[in-house]
Amino acid sequence: MLKIITKTSLRLGIAVALSSSLVIGEAYSEIIYANGNDGLPLGLVSDDQIKTNWRSRYAKGPDEGRVEVVSDAQSGNGLRIKYPAFGNQSSPSGATWETDLRTSKDEMYLSYWVKVDADFDFVKGGKLPGLAGGTEFPRGDNNFTTRLMWREEGKLEFYVHGYTLPNAQGKEPTRIFWDDFGEHARLQAGQWHHIELYQKLNTPGVKDGILRGWLDGQLVAEDTDGAGVRDEGQNNTRINYLYFSTFFGGSSAPEIQWQPKADVYATFDDFIVSTTRMGMTDFPGDTDTAPQNPSDETPVDDSPNGEAPIDDTPIDSDTQINTSCQNIAVRIKHEIDLAQGNCLIFDKVLTNRKVAVWDSNFQECDFRGLVSSEDGQGTLNVPDNYEATNSISGQRLRITNNAGNACQYLVIRAL
């Protein structure tokens, strides 16, 4: 159930949390942990100050001068994080620590506010805080992390590690987009955003876990295919810590693609971990309504967005005469190797469908180029890690690399 709380009650809840380490009492029984940074002095802070205030066994970034408490926050004090020029990964960029939640649960919510400065250079991407766990904190087994990432132009996605059950791609998912085949949710430079995520761990060995994400009160991501944290017998794996982790970088592609060209900053505020959804404070547009997110087995809505119905009639096999084309189905994510041919034939027409293209999870190169209809209309330019359109018709697509880009791998899906 959605719970909208006032700013006054939120600040009171955080104050109680800071003074007693755990919110107690009926009024705030849904809050497991809250931190509004108001227990820290203004100015640069040390590792020891963060470890004490955030209940962490370690901290990376404060002693290096990358964590400052500022009054220019969403409310009260905020944490201003520095990402030095040409730095990537957690040692030379941003800040990292783990907060002991002093409880272990199968499902939790995490919410916080974040603002990247107006001159923030997103480049290829970086990490944002999330939830994490294992058999116990801090040194248990079967550890997993469920963080967020920003990508080019601030596009958001789940970034997960330690997930044991295969998904539709057969391997651990590292990227779950915050878009649900609508407009890709993204951070706008210079603007405060409210982030909230929900994680429900799966029954051990069963793919029934859930990941949800809200941006500014709107549910923009819901996934079960990639939510398999626990394998059979891993009943003791639980969510038990908040993972404050923010820095530029990833492990794929040349380092320079992950590095900002100048010092950039982001400010964080009002972290809350709870057993029920807190919602976006004083924001009547906040909603629990899930966006349309059909699975591979779910029929597509016959009249999306009030447009003409989708034609789900199978294409006659006699029309698939181009032997250089790869034959693929709608509603399924396909890893494409262009060495097998740069022509794709879908089993159904694409009119009124959402066609999305993104980088392969399993190859180090990043496709950049064009996707064009050969027997209909429409072209999709792919200048970064994810693009989608509903303006392509026909059934046969041609994939063309941009000049200077030789990557032959990409992922494509049409719903």
Side-chain angles (χ1 to χ4, degrees):
M1 182 178 75
L2 174 64
K3 178 179 177 63
I4 302 291
I5 59 176
T6 66
K7 195 65 174 178
T8 300
S9 64
L10 174 61
R11 299 306 302 169
L12 177 58
I14 290 175
V16 173
L18 287 172
S19 63
S20 64
S21 297
L22 184 65
V23 175
I24 302 172
E26 267 183 40
Y28 300 100
S29 61
E30 73 275 8
I31 298 179
I32 294 172
Y33 176 84
N35 198 321
N37 308 300
D38 297 331
L40 291 166
L42 295 176
L44 292 174
V45 291
S46 67
D47 284 3
D48 286 343
Q49 287 173 304
I50 287 294
K51 287 190 292 184
T52 298
N53 186 265
W54 282 78
R55 292 202 313 237
S56 178
R57 61 193 174 97
Y58 77 94
K60 187 184 296 184
D63 279 357
E64 290 78 16
R66 301 200 300 264
V67 180
E68 181 181 6
V69 178
V70 296
S71 58
D72 180 18
Q74 173 62 21
S75 62
N77 294 341
L79 288 181
R80 184 169 168 81
I81 307 299
K82 178 181 180 180
Y83 309 88
F86 302 103
N88 68 295
Q89 302 294 343
S90 59
S91 291
S93 179
T96 303
W97 55 81
E98 300 168 345
T99 291
D100 184 1
L101 296 177
R102 297 180 178 172
T103 187
S104 294
K105 295 187 179 294
D106 287 345
E107 55 185 308
M108 289 189 188
Y109 291 83
L110 166 65
S111 67
Y112 57 90
W113 289 85
V114 60
K115 181 180 75 171
V116 300
D117 283 4
D119 61 352
F120 198 87
D121 182 7
F122 292 105
V123 291
K124 189 175 177 66
K127 307 297 191 297
L128 290 168
L131 293 169
T135 55
E136 60 182 323
F137 181 83
R139 297 182 178 86
D141 298 322
N142 304 328
N143 296 313
F144 67 90
T145 61
T146 306
R147 290 174 288 173
L148 304 184
M149 283 193 74
W150 75 78
R151 289 286 189 158
E152 292 101 328
E153 300 178 352
K155 295 176 180 179
L156 293 170
E157 60 190 50
F158 279 114
Y159 179 81
V160 300
H161 271 309
Y163 284 39
T164 56
L165 294 187
N167 58 84
Q169 300 304 303
K171 297 183 180 181
E172 171 181 289
T174 56
R175 306 176 64 184
I176 299 169
F177 300 115
W178 277 34
D179 82 308
D180 265 335
F181 283 81
E183 293 300 318
H184 201 132
R186 65 184 69 198
L187 300 179
Q188 300 292 335
Q191 176 179 324
W192 279 103
H193 290 286
H194 186 262
I195 297 282
E196 187 163 10
L197 63 90
Y198 167 71
Q199 180 165 26
K200 179 181 180 181
L201 300 187
N202 63 300
T203 303
V206 181
K207 288 178 59 176
D208 60 357
I210 300 173
L211 288 174
R212 293 188 181 121
W214 289 261
L215 178 66
D216 297 335
Q218 298 299 306
L219 184 60
V220 292
E222 184 167 25
D223 184 86
T224 57
D225 179 61
V229 176
R230 302 189 290 198
D231 210 340
E232 292 185 7
Q234 294 181 346
N235 302 62
N236 294 330
T237 299
R238 316 287 291 279
I239 306 168
N240 44 39
Y241 66 98
L242 186 164
Y243 194 14
F244 189 103
S245 172
T246 182
F247 55 86
F248 273 81
S251 58
S252 65
E255 281 192 347
I256 191 66
Q257 293 188 21
W258 298 101
Q259 297 172 342
K261 306 305 182 289
D263 294 351
V264 293
Y265 297 83
T267 305
F268 296 83
D269 198 9
D270 288 350
F271 282 77
I272 300 176
V273 180
S274 60
T275 57
T276 58
R277 190 163 172 243
M278 302 305 292
M280 185 178 173
T281 305
D282 300 330
F283 187 74
D286 193 313
T287 177
D288 280 330
T289 303
Q292 182 183 338
N293 184 25
S295 68
D296 295 343
E297 296 79 22
T298 305
V300 177
D301 187 348
D302 285 337
S303 56
N305 302 320
E307 297 172 357
I310 287 175
D311 183 355
D312 237 0
T313 305
I315 298 298
D316 190 322
S317 59
D318 289 341
T319 66
Q320 300 185 13
I321 57 175
N322 190 333
T323 58
S324 67
C325 291
Q326 301 182 51
N327 296 319
I328 60 178
V330 301
R331 304 186 194 133
I332 298 174
K333 286 188 289 186
H334 295 274
E335 284 274 346
I336 301 299
D337 181 352
L338 296 179
Q340 300 177 21
N342 66 345
C343 170
L344 309 178
I345 294 182
F346 282 87
D347 63 344
K348 296 181 175 67
V349 295
L350 300 176
T351 304
N352 294 323
R353 296 185 186 275
K354 180 74 72 173
V355 177
V357 176
W358 61 94
D359 295 342
S360 168
N361 285 335
F362 314 125
Q363 307 296 332
E364 291 190 1
C365 65
D366 298 330
F367 173 81
R368 301 292 180 263
L370 297 175
V371 178
S372 306
S373 175
E374 287 198 322
D375 59 347
Q377 294 182 335
T379 298
L380 175 64
N381 181 33
V382 186
D384 54 25
N385 73 91
Y386 175 93
E387 292 294 334
T389 182
N390 58 3
S391 63
I392 288 180
S393 63
Q395 77 170 106
R396 190 168 67 243
L397 302 182
R398 179 70 59 180
I399 314 296
T400 307
N401 289 77
N402 281 344
N405 183 282
C407 184
Q408 66 187 49
Y409 302 100
L410 68 148
V411 181
I412 190 167
R413 182 165 70 172
L415 287 182

